[in-house]
Amino acid sequence: MALPPQQNPYPRPVQRELKFDVISEAFNAMTANWKVFALAGAITTGPVLVMAIIGYIIMIAVMMPSIMSNNDPSPFVMLPAQLLFYVLMLVGYAMGGPGYLGCARIALAIRRKEPLTTDMAKIGLTRIVQGSIAGGIVYGGVMLGTMCCYVPGFLWGGLSTGAYTAMVLDENLAPMDAAKESMAVMKPQMWMAALLYFVASLIASLGVIACFVGIIFTMPLLAIIMGLSYMDMKFGIGQSDRALEVVPPVSQ
């Protein structure tokens, strides 16, 4: 006699695949928990905005003498200034790494169906050094790849952004090991990961349209979307670090 479905000794294999459904999953969580997302976004984008402002002030100071004299700025002056600007942006995104750890914790809570709290958004502040190193690794690769015709940057972002979620799942995991773990998990669908990262980046940047204020709500979506995707590839679609509870059918 055949066993009931819930007692099937031959369960279906876990389906690991990247789907754009994670975008709506993250967006629905944002609309229902906007205060948590705003705090995560402030922690993530604050250092970036500060470094960007400093960089622009330096660029203006460098160009001002040439502008006042109606001359083009010397490339020997502009190139070092531009290089310094990129370095400052790298520092800013690295300092935003702890914020991305908070976003990864939010992604895990979304998948576990836990209530989202502001403490989750702040969890990376207890791991500032590790989070900053992870931020430097992830964004550094994105920045360098973007300079090489963009595609390598999206590819690196798609493969490595799951490092934040890996570090939340295993607090003993070093940033570089977390990046390697993320790349190993995402590699089977690396091009889909790159496309998803590209789309997630566009969504995350939409907040700039609202006078930059909206970016504190949208910026966390990047790490959260990629974190959900990482869990889909590591544990199976719709899963987290533990199998979601399945309610058995009611006997008739």
Side-chain angles (χ1 to χ4, degrees):
M1 183 175 64
L3 293 173
Q6 66 269 25
Q7 298 179 19
N8 191 341
Y10 305 105
R12 289 179 296 177
V14 175
Q15 184 181 5
R16 293 180 172 88
E17 186 179 355
L18 292 182
K19 289 182 174 293
F20 280 82
D21 295 350
V22 294
I23 295 176
S24 59
E25 188 178 358
F27 188 80
N28 290 338
M30 182 190 72
T31 56
N33 302 272
W34 61 270
K35 291 181 180 179
V36 176
F37 275 67
L39 179 58
I43 297 172
T44 302
T45 60
V48 179
L49 293 178
V50 170
M51 291 297 107
I53 291 171
I54 294 174
Y56 280 122
I57 291 174
I58 293 174
M59 293 288 289
I60 292 173
V62 167
M63 292 188 297
M64 189 58 65
S66 298
I67 294 174
M68 296 298 293
S69 60
N70 294 322
N71 294 321
D72 293 330
S74 169
F76 296 102
V77 175
M78 287 302 300
L79 287 178
Q82 290 175 342
L83 179 60
L84 178 59
F85 179 81
Y86 286 126
V87 170
L88 289 173
M89 292 305 296
L90 176 58
V91 171
Y93 275 99
M95 293 172 63
Y100 281 121
L101 286 180
C103 294
R105 179 63 183 90
I106 292 171
L108 182 59
I110 292 172
R111 188 53 60 81
R112 287 177 172 176
K113 303 187 184 306
E114 297 174 342
L116 304 190
T117 67
T118 54
D119 287 339
M120 293 176 181
K122 296 184 291 184
I123 196 171
L125 298 178
T126 62
R127 304 171 66 187
I128 292 178
V129 174
Q130 289 179 306
S132 298
I133 294 174
I137 292 172
V138 174
Y139 181 73
V142 171
M143 183 174 68
L144 291 175
T146 301
M147 294 177 182
C148 301
C149 301
Y150 288 96
V151 174
F154 298 135
L155 185 58
W156 177 265
L159 289 173
S160 66
T161 306
Y164 302 114
T165 306
M167 291 176 65
V168 169
L169 290 168
D170 183 358
E171 295 186 359
N172 296 320
L173 199 61
M176 182 57 73
D177 292 333
K180 293 178 180 178
E181 164 73 9
S182 177
M183 288 187 281
V185 169
M186 305 296 280
K187 186 177 180 181
Q189 294 199 14
M190 57 190 293
W191 294 111
M192 185 63 175
L195 178 59
L196 184 60
Y197 182 85
F198 169 70
V199 174
S201 298
L202 292 179
I203 295 173
S205 62
L206 287 178
V208 176
I209 299 174
C211 300
F212 283 91
V213 176
I215 201 167
I216 66 172
F217 300 100
T218 59
M219 186 57 72
L221 290 173
L222 176 60
I224 291 172
I225 289 171
M226 297 311 298
L228 294 171
S229 299
Y230 170 83
M231 286 184 280
D232 280 347
M233 288 296 293
K234 186 174 179 65
F235 304 110
I237 294 176
Q239 304 297 313
S240 63
D241 55 327
R242 58 175 183 245
L244 298 179
E245 294 183 0
V246 177
V247 179
V250 178
S251 301
Q252 298 294 332

